[in-house]
Amino acid sequence: MLLVAFAAACALDLAALLAGLRLGHVLAKPLLMPLLVAYVVSRRPAGAGGASGAPRLLIAALLFGWGGDLALLFDAPAAFLIGMGSFAAGHVCYLLLFGRGRTHPAIGGAYAAALVGTVALLWGDLPVGLRVPVAGYSLLLTAMAYRSGALGTRAAIGGALFLLSDTLIATGVAEWPQPPRPDFWIMVTYLAAQYLLATGALAPRQAYGRSVIQD
């Protein structure tokens, strides 16, 4: 039921964005991450005597994402920086959660090239006060996206989608041309990213957050 509630809140939020209903987005967005947290907390590994199977780092990452969600509801430079800081803290939690599991060096090279190219292209179009914070955040985000592969394909896709979502935000801040309803595409990729990262971390082969990486 919690997963159904999360899906329903996602549908309401995305429908509001498509319809241009600001109030619907403001009402639905604060519900999203708490419902996903409630779902992951409800997951229990077999034989755990009722203890929650959700790693604390995963819960913390999602809650920091919630903080970022709330901050970005406000259209102000300070709110943007607060939101970026909250998401950055969430990425640190994800990186700690991923541990030392193996990832492919070639994928790391591709992510590094994407990071350098994106920051170089955006740099001149970003507000001066946001250039360094965005570059630092981008480095942390890209590291998270790359290391998410340590938890398997599902989490790796989630990490890539998170990177895509935040890149869309950055191009909007830089006032690059945007697709129709950019907020919809930002949210749909973000929600898919958080869901895939959460469920990837809870996959049985990952031993609920401990590094048990299988070939």
Side-chain angles (χ1 to χ4, degrees):
M1 292 300 296
L2 289 169
L3 189 57
V4 170
F6 171 69
C10 289
L12 288 172
D13 186 57
L14 295 174
L17 290 173
L18 281 176
L21 300 175
R22 169 72 178 171
L23 179 59
H25 177 58
V26 169
L27 293 175
K29 190 178 184 183
L31 302 176
L32 298 171
M33 290 304 104
L35 286 171
L36 185 55
V37 168
Y39 168 68
V40 299
V41 168
S42 72
R43 292 286 300 271
R44 288 169 170 78
S52 173
R56 292 180 181 178
L57 286 169
L58 173 59
I59 294 171
L62 295 173
L63 290 176
F64 278 121
W66 182 47
D69 290 345
L70 296 179
L72 294 185
L73 286 173
F74 299 92
D75 188 14
F80 181 79
L81 288 172
I82 292 170
M84 187 163 56
S86 190
F87 281 120
H91 296 325
V92 171
C93 292
Y94 274 130
L95 284 168
L96 294 173
L97 176 65
F98 300 153
R100 298 181 179 180
R102 292 175 302 221
T103 47
H104 201 291
I107 297 176
Y111 271 120
L115 169 66
V116 173
T118 301
V119 171
L121 290 171
L122 287 171
W123 186 265
D125 295 327
L126 290 170
V128 174
L130 290 180
R131 288 175 180 172
V132 172
V134 168
Y137 175 80
S138 298
L139 176 61
L140 186 59
L141 169 64
T142 304
M144 184 281 295
Y146 167 52
R147 292 294 303 146
S148 63
L151 296 188
T153 302
R154 178 187 291 262
I157 295 172
L161 287 174
F162 213 134
L163 179 62
L164 174 59
S165 179
D166 280 4
T167 300
L168 290 172
I169 294 176
T171 58
V173 172
E175 298 184 353
W176 284 16
Q178 298 289 294
R181 300 293 182 193
D183 288 347
F184 170 82
W185 296 110
I186 289 168
M187 282 304 296
V188 74
T189 49
Y190 167 70
L191 291 171
Q194 292 282 43
Y195 171 77
L196 291 171
L197 285 167
T199 54
L202 291 173
R205 69 180 180 278
Q206 301 303 328
Y208 298 90
R210 288 180 285 274
S211 298
V212 183
I213 307 303
Q214 297 177 353
D215 294 329

